[in-house]
Amino acid sequence: MQADAVGRSPNGTSDFGLMQINSSWLQSLGRYGVTSERLLRDPCLNVHVGAWIMASAFARYGHGWEAVGSYNVGCRSLSREECVRRRYAYAWRVYRALRREDRP
C-alpha cells in the first residue's frame, strides 16, 4: 500500500505505484498524458490505469484466470506453454491472497 513504490523487474522494466503499472505501458499511456511521475504522484490515477489494464486483459482473454495472470506476466519472449504456466502461477497467488482476505 505504498503509492510511491517503484519495483524493478528482472527484464529491466520498472513497476510504478499501488498497482505496480509496468513501464512497458508508458508508451501507450503517454497519449493520455500519463507518465511514470503521475502514476507515482496520483494514487487514484494509478488504480484507474490498473483497472483499465485489467479490463483490457478481460476483453482479450475472457473473464478467467489467464486474464488475471496476464496482468503480471508478459509473454513476448516466452513459449506459449511457459507463458500460460507463469500466468496461472501468478493467478494462483492472487487467488490465495483473496481467500485469505475472505476469512472473518
Side-chain angles (χ1 to χ4, degrees), residues 11-16 20-28 36:
N11 65 1
T13 60
S14 298
D15 304 305
F16 304 106
Q20 291 292 277
I21 308 301
N22 190 269
S23 57
S24 65
W25 285 99
L26 291 176
Q27 184 174 0
S28 298
S36 58

Side-chain angles (χ1 to χ4, degrees), residues 3-53:
D4 62 348
V6 177
R8 305 285 181 219
S9 296
N11 65 1
T13 60
S14 298
D15 304 305
F16 304 106
L18 292 171
M19 298 294 288
Q20 291 292 277
I21 308 301
N22 190 269
S23 57
S24 65
W25 285 99
L26 291 176
Q27 184 174 0
S28 298
L29 294 169
R31 71 183 82 144
Y32 305 107
V34 177
T35 63
S36 58
E37 292 79 18
R38 286 193 64 205
L39 289 170
L40 291 170
R41 235 185 13 245
D42 186 343
C44 290
L45 174 66
N46 191 283
V47 171
H48 185 86
V49 169
W52 176 76
I53 293 169

